[in-house]
């Protein structure tokens, strides 16, 4: 069987849902369609899989592969630093190329290596809470949720803490290209941010070459200094990938979990009283309002679903946003319940197969320690505005969440 290398024309027999409609009320629109059809087509031609059973069965199915530059091209990103990121990142590669890109960084994110960082991440979270406690208020997203993951990734990679504001600003501008709100007008800013982040990493590599240290960038130097310039550029791009993946998704997830709990005082207070509830609260927040709402795949062959057939060459988006509210798997899926016992063993929010999120262990530690420091240090915390999460796919966005507490 010949495998398609280019995206096929999108199927015409599926329900078409304009992106704007989906963005306006994602959970309601997805639920309405999920009850009737296994997939919908958005107006950019991408087919979105809605049901938990399909997402779980196809995540590592040999009839699918990871997308490569197809999504970038669909978005009109065809050249320049941002395109180079899409072309060279571990996330968007397959087979031997993927193994070559993932192996060197995977060692640094192995469960035991990351577990050893927990005390330092706890100290970072407690430090942030202590710094803000006297003022009685903070912006949860900017003053807390953004800083903990950025400081943690800085710790792992050996980035100076003073660089956090710069590299996070570039990351947020660049990662707009990985959100459902992306439009061509965003290109100049995202491309400029990619150029700066790549140059920043190149600078760091040059510094480590002059004076190696005990950090991940120094450990990657032999691969970066290979004779093959393409291979060297590719390894540098994995450092860019880690800075991006490590500081944006967890930022949103930290703010979301606090916002959800603060909106449900009884569950917030339960976590304040009993730390054993923290892992369940983290898992439930990741299900109920995920920071990443989907991940992509490409159909290599025809894929029959119950009620639709996907053609080879279809660009797919596996909607975890929809799958994690599927009543076929979760009892009362629209209820936020930190004591829920029906989470699958592998949390769907982190994808699956060989591409399953490399930072899962780190993200969980940051989310658990981030929540523990807040519930311990600021049990009287209140949200001054309701939580607003935007986006129907890929990386989602959270509005700033002002919070306050009594200081007397
Ligand atoms: C709540 C936080 C996070 C969520 C929800 C999340 C989710 C995901 C998802 C859905 C994927 C794609 C999986 C697939 O295609 O099957 C992914 C891949 C990836 N994530 Fe995360 N992630 C998070 C945090 C992190 C962190 C903290 C890091 C590292 C510092 C990280 C590094 C990566 C990398 C390197 C990949 C590409 C793996 C590959 O393609 O082999 N992520 N993540």
């Amino acid at each position: 069987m010949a495998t398609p290398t280019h995206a096929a024309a999108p199927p015409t027999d599926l329900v078409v849902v304009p992106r704007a409609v989906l963005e306006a009320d994602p959970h309601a629109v997805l639920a309405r369609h999920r009850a009737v059809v296994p997939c919908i087509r958005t107006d950019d031609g991408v087919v979105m899989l809605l049901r938990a059973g399909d997402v779980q069965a196809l995540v590592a199915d040999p009839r699918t592969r990871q997308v490569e530059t197809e999504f970038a091209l669909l978005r009109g990103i065809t050249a320049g630093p941002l395109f180079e990121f899409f072309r060279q990142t571990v996330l968007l590669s397959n087979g031997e190329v993927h193994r070559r890109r993932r192996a060197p960084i995977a060692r640094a994110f192995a469960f035991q290596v990351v577990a050893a960082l927990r005390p330092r991440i706890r100290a970072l979270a407690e430090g942030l809470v202590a710094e803000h406690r006297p003022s009685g208020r903070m912006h949860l997203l900017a003053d807390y949720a953004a800083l903990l993951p950025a400081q943690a990734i800085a710790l792992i990679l050996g980035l100076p803490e003073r660089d956090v504001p710069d590299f996070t600003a570039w990351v947020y501008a660049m990662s707009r290209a990985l959100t459902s709100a992306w439009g061509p007008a965003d290109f100049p800013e995202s491309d400029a941010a990619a150029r700066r982040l790549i140059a920043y990493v190149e600078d760091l590599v040059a510094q480590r070459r002059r004076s190696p240290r005990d950090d991940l960038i120094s450990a990657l130097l032999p691969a970066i200094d290979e004779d093959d310039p393409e291979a060297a550029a590719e390894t540098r791009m994995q450092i860019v990938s880690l800075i991006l993946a490590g500081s944006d998704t967890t930022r949103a997830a930290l703010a979301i979990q606090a916002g959800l709990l603060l909106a449900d005082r009884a569950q917030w207070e339960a976590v304040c009283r009993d730390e054993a509830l923290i892992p369940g609260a983290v898992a439930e927040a990741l299900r109920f309002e995920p920071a990443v709402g989907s991940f992509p795949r490409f159909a290599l062959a025809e894929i029959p679903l119950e009620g639709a057939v996907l053609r080879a060459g279809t660009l797919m988006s596996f909607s975890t946003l929809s799958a994690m509210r599927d009543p076929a798997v979760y009892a009362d899926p629209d209820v936020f319940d930190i004591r829920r016992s029906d989470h699958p063993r592998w949390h769907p929010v982190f994808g699956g197969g060989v591409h399953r999120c490399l930072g899962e262990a780190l993200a969980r530690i940051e989310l658990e320690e981030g929540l523990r420091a807040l519930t311990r240090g600021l049990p009287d915390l209140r949200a001054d505005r309701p939580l607003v999460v935007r986006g129907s796919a890929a990386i989602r966005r959270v509005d700033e969440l002002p919070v306050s507490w009594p200081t007397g």
Side-chain angles (χ1 to χ4, degrees):
M1 179 185 60
T3 51
T5 50
H6 291 95
T12 50
D13 52 347
L14 301 180
V15 179
V16 178
V17 180
R19 277 268 177 213
V21 171
L22 199 52
E23 292 292 292
D25 193 0
H27 287 298
V29 175
L30 291 169
R32 202 162 55 240
H33 291 291
R34 187 178 59 234
V36 189
V37 288
C39 53
I40 54 174
R41 183 159 74 85
T42 44
D43 45 3
D44 52 6
V46 175
V47 174
M48 199 173 244
L49 266 60
L50 306 178
R51 294 180 176 159
D54 292 333
V55 167
Q56 195 190 341
L58 292 173
V59 69
D61 188 291
R63 289 169 298 172
T64 71
R65 65 155 168 80
Q66 180 61 290
V67 302
E68 294 174 359
T69 50
E70 293 91 349
F71 264 98
L73 297 173
L74 188 72
R75 296 188 148 198
I77 304 165
T78 56
L82 188 58
F83 180 75
E84 282 308 303
F85 168 74
F86 277 97
R87 197 174 68 80
Q88 292 184 325
T89 178
V90 55
L91 176 65
L92 303 175
S93 56
N94 286 290
E96 186 44 44
V97 173
H98 175 250
R99 277 189 290 279
R100 187 178 74 215
R101 292 176 183 179
R102 183 166 166 127
I105 51 176
R107 284 190 282 279
F109 286 84
F111 180 79
Q112 300 86 326
V113 180
V114 174
L117 293 174
R118 190 183 279 269
R120 297 180 73 181
I121 293 173
R122 179 173 295 185
L124 288 175
E126 289 174 353
L128 287 169
V129 167
E131 184 187 324
H132 289 289
R133 193 187 288 113
S135 71
R137 60 185 59 247
M138 67 175 161
H139 288 102
L140 196 84
L141 190 68
D143 299 336
Y144 189 72
L147 297 181
L148 184 58
Q151 289 178 354
I153 201 71
L155 187 81
I156 293 170
L157 287 170
L159 317 179
E161 214 187 300
R162 63 172 181 279
D163 293 353
V164 165
D166 277 347
F167 77 70
T168 49
W170 300 327
V171 161
Y172 306 148
M174 196 175 157
S175 69
R176 239 186 119 67
L178 297 168
T179 69
S180 50
W182 164 267
D186 295 315
F187 179 76
E189 199 189 333
S190 296
D191 197 50
R195 184 185 306 281
R196 299 191 74 173
L197 190 58
I198 293 167
Y200 171 69
V201 166
E202 281 170 359
D203 245 31
L204 285 166
V205 166
Q207 284 172 31
R208 291 299 180 280
R209 199 176 283 123
R210 286 195 297 275
S211 46
R213 292 211 227 136
D214 180 20
D215 60 30
L216 182 54
I217 297 185
S218 306
L220 290 171
L221 280 176
I224 294 171
D225 285 342
E226 272 188 33
D227 290 343
D228 176 354
E230 172 75 11
E234 192 183 271
T235 308
R236 285 197 299 268
M237 203 59 96
Q238 302 334 314
I239 302 172
V240 173
S241 303
L242 288 172
I243 297 177
L244 191 135
S247 41
D248 198 6
T249 48
T250 322
R251 163 178 83 137
L254 268 166
I256 292 170
Q257 68 180 16
L260 288 171
L261 285 165
L262 291 172
D264 186 335
R265 204 72 206 168
Q267 298 204 70
W268 169 264
E269 283 169 5
V271 177
C272 292
R273 281 193 307 272
D274 182 3
E275 285 192 358
L277 293 173
I278 288 177
V282 167
E284 178 64 346
L286 287 170
R287 177 195 77 84
F288 192 77
E289 213 51 278
V292 179
S294 69
F295 52 88
R297 289 292 186 271
F298 182 91
L300 291 169
E302 190 174 276
I303 303 176
L305 304 174
E306 209 181 303
V309 178
L310 305 180
R311 282 205 293 270
T314 301
L315 267 182
M316 298 177 290
S317 167
F318 286 24
S319 176
T320 36
L321 194 69
S322 169
M324 294 191 299
R325 296 277 188 116
D326 189 340
V329 171
Y330 303 94
D332 295 324
D334 296 324
V335 173
F336 175 67
D337 176 5
I338 62 172
R339 295 180 178 84
R340 170 180 295 283
S341 59
D342 50 8
H343 290 287
R345 181 158 174 265
W346 297 96
H347 201 304
V349 79
F350 294 109
V354 292
H355 285 278
R356 187 168 173 88
C357 177
L358 199 71
E360 176 180 353
L362 176 64
R364 283 182 189 270
I365 291 175
E366 289 172 9
L367 293 169
E368 289 171 12
E369 294 304 329
L371 182 55
R372 176 179 282 114
L374 285 180
T375 51
R376 261 197 194 169
L378 300 170
D380 295 328
L381 192 68
R382 302 239 161 224
D384 298 334
R385 204 188 283 164
L387 173 73
V388 177
V389 188
R390 298 178 195 277
S392 59
I395 298 183
R396 300 176 75 218
R397 287 282 185 254
V398 185
D399 284 3
E400 187 50 90
L401 188 65
V403 292
S404 53
W405 57 90
T407 53

